[in-house]
Each structure stands twice: as C-alpha cells, then as structure tokens.
Amino acid sequence: MTSGERGAHAPSTDAAAALLAGLVARGVRHLVVSPGSRSQALALVAAELERAGLVRLHVRIDERVAGFTALGIGRETGIPAAVICTSGTAVANLLPAALEAHHSGIPLLLLTADRPPELRGIGANQTTRQLGLFRSAARYEADLPVPEVADPDASDPQTAAFDDVAATALAAACGEGSRPAGPVHLNVPLREPLAGAAPDWLVERATRAVPAEGLVDEDASGALYQGGGGIGVADVAPEPEVSFLLEPGPRTIVVAGADAGPAAEELAHHAGLPLVAEIVSGARFGRHIVHAYRALLREPELGGRVERVVVFGHPTLSREVARLLGRDDVEVIAVRGPGEPVNLNGATHSVDAVRVAGVADRQWLGEWMRASRAAAVDLSPPAPDADGLSSAVPHERLGAINAEVEVMRAPVDRAALVDALWRATWPHDRLVFGSSRLVRVADELLGGKKVSVHANRGLAGIDGTIATATGVALASQDAERPGVTRVLLGDLAFLHDVGALLLPPGEPEPRLQVVVGNDGGGTIFDGLEVAGVAAADAMERVQFTPQSVRLEQLALAYGWEYHRVTTRVALDQALTSPTGGRQLIEVPLDR
C-alpha cells in the first residue's frame, strides 16, 4: 500500500521514521512496543519495519514487562532493543529495567512519547516531567525537538537531525568511549496529528549501510584478560587505559561474580589460581573451579590466608566473598566489566585488564584443589543395583526393586531441583536465575559446567524475571538457533512478574520453561537476621508473606502448558521432554 493510499504525511510519523530507521540501519533488530495514543507514530513505524522484515517486534501491554523483555534481549545479544511507550505513568514503569540495565551494564534504548512543552506543567492529561526520570542511570538523555514539518522526500534538516540522534543514542547505549553500556532515554514530544502515512523512504533509510559504532564485534585473542568475557590483543586491539601485571608472590584467588564471563576462568587457568565462581558468573567451569567455596573461605588456612583477589563481574551471592573483598589486608584488583565498579574495601585497584607475568604458587593452588575435591557434593541419584535386580535370590531382587521404587518416589527438595535443572541445560540452552532462595542453593551446591547463564544481579531485585527470560529466549532463537531457555525462580518472584506470561497471538513463541520452586512464601527470610529478631506472627505477616495461588489456573489462563512435579524422575522428564513453546513447571517445596 502506498503512502498516498494510506493518507497524508504527518510530522510526527516522519520524525519517528527517521529516528527508528536510524537505529535499524545501525544494527538494532528488536523493538518492544507498549500501545498508547501519544506514541502511535513510533508504534506504527515499528509495525512497518516489521512488515518489511527488518526487525522483530514484540508487543506488551505492561511497560514494566516491556522494559525487562528488552533488557533480556540486550543481555543475550549485547545489542540494545528499543522500548516504545506513551507518556505519563507508562514512562515511570520503565524505571526498574533502566536501573538494572545501569547497574549491570546492559544496553537499552527507551523511546518515550510526550506532550509538547506548552502542555507540560499546566494540568494537561497524562503529562508529567518525563525528562530526568532516568537521569541517575542514563548514559545519555535528550528531550527531542517537536517535529514541525512533514518530510515526504527526506530532504528536511529535521530528518537528518533525528538520524544523528539515533547514532548518538546507540553509541552511548553500547558504551561509547570509556563509559560502560547502559540505558539511554530519548523523550519524543509530539503534537497532533499524532500519526500519518509512513514515508516512502523508510525502508531505504533503514537498510542503508551505516557504520555501527559500539556494535562491531571483532574476534581477538591474546594475553589480556578483560571484564565481561572479552579478550584483547595488544597488537590488534587498542591498549586498555589501565592494565595490571599479575606477578607471582601474594597468595591470590580469582573471584567471578555475575556477568564475569569466561575471561575469569581463562585467567585462573593460565595463571594457576583457584577460581571462586558464582553460579551466575558464566565462569563456573574448568580445572581450577573451587567447590563449596563459602565454607572454604571461612577456613583460616585457606580463606584466612588470601592476600590478593582478582575480581571479574559483580559478586553478590555470598557474605563470605563480600567479607573477603572488604578486608583491608587484602589487595583487590577489580577488572572493569559491563556493570558498576566493585570497591568494597575502599582501596581496590580498578583496571581494564590483567596481564600474567608467570605461574602462581602451585602449592597454594594444590591446597585449594584438595579441599575443593573433599568438599564437593555429589547430587546424583544412586545408581541401580544391577546385581540385585538380576539376582536369583528373591529377597535380594526384591530389595533392589524396592530401592529403585524409593528413588523414583523420592520427593524433590531444593538440592535435587537445582541439580536437575543444571544437568538438563547444555551449551546451546540458556539458564536464567531469579533472585530467590534457589539461586543461593545452586551457588552453594552445583559443580562446574560451561553453559550460558543470565541473572539480574545488578540490583538483585525479584521484579522482571520472567520478562527478562522471555527476552533472552526470543533473542537466542534468532536465525532459528536451537536450544531452550529455562528460568528458575521462587513463587514470590514468579507472582511479582506474572503479567509477563501474557504474550500476544501471532508472535513467535519463545522456547521457555519457567520452573517455580513453590514453598508458599518468601523462605529466603528464614536464613536472614530478621528471623532471629522478629516475633513469629510478624515474621509470617510481613516477611514470609504466605501465598496459596493456584499456579495451574494462571498457566491455563495465559495459555501455557503446565506440569506439577513432585519426584526427581518426573522433574527430569519434564525438563528434558521436547518442547516447542511455553511451559510452566511447578515444584512444591517444604518451607
């Protein structure tokens, strides 16, 4: 359909076309839209770009869900998705995702429609002061000029100006210069008419070749170990601003927190150092991984003798690591990654990369590895008694059969749940951990395995977990790549984001398994100080916050396949059975 058949041109639509075409031409491939009146020009242009096959469009009625969906896409791809919403409270609902993007260093573009300046501050409907809402987190923000003229042939300076803004915003979101990646806010004021025909030049401008600063992904390898999983080479990549020469001497360990990436494991391997890797780090694999690290850090002969720590990522899951990094007698070298810098002792060296001068103390490494092997937990179900099952002696055979039945009927506890999920996940899959008690159980018990792990640990909030996992799943399925995304979370984190279960008909379904460990409330508080000081009734009322929601009814209402599993055998079957869409797996747990 031509623009003439669809109606007259409007300044709002032509400006929206210039802005979105500028983003798409530079590599943005996912747009997330929450419907609204003031944002209709942006939304309709997004629909045109989808129709042309240039973007994947995701429509969400809840702006908070939209924000976290875009966050998950940025987490998986490293390229920002653009969120489009209307004015007023819609904008405020993007703040949780923006804060998580800021603290985790995830690229994110927020395009918020607004009333023109003359309607602000005079009581106009659905109007508030939107510019500045994200100021503490935004890498870049701008209140764009109100489009004044239609531009059917892309000759007006307005079109070039909006294209320039797209370039600036994208570079800032992806981490321009020395700043880490993060959220960018473009406030787009629009006057009526709020929409018109899409300009004929939209697709041409969206497909033109434009250098994508911040989106270039060049392969490199070498001796510089940098945060966020990147490895640079001195004679290929620019020299980092600050690098640290790691020389033998001080008793050293490597700590990998959230989003550390494989560089932490590579450094530990090549330098001969023990590796303390959180389950959400993406570095829990390799020969030097330390099992049961929390207990070992508490031991005076191991944790008490640490003199130097190299930190990748953002450690958040254990108090033992926090205490270690806060000690004034420990030298801490924090490798700058995508998120907020770590400096718990006030004297941390913040560096861009670490150079290895030689192999560390082998005796020190040996002490950690022997203690690690002794502390490792085997969560495997007991193997069948083959001799007993084939025995001709009736009571021996019956005993072996009864033992097998007991294994099959054994209820699932938290340890079995995290173990089953870990075993079911492979390199082509994705695993997302919610900020629930279960992620700490997984961190304490699980062994090493090289899989793709995501978690919103920038602020460690429970909000947006399902939406983030949905974004991860959708992005990981680009180009028809295989794999399943599994998200493990508690019942309160699930209920907090239950609106993310709603997906519109017609959009590709994510291959997504949402696994809910349902213990009827916030049992994470049972292990915190509050459990020792609160009265039982107050603890129950305002901390544990019991719930008795029927998750099966929610799943059916939102069109999800539902499974309730109570045994390890049933759980293994549910996790590994072929799935082509959305599954909700409920696992009842004792408090």
Side-chain angles (χ1 to χ4, degrees), residues 123 195 205 232 286 292 438 506:
R205 291 186 67 85
L438 289 166

Side-chain angles (χ1 to χ4, degrees), residues 147-186:
E148 300 289 357
V149 296
D151 191 14
D153 56 3
S155 61
D156 192 88
Q158 165 190 280
T159 296
F162 275 77
D163 182 74
D164 289 343
V165 166
T168 301
L170 193 54
C174 293
E176 182 180 32
S178 61
R179 296 201 70 186
V184 162
H185 178 210
L186 298 181

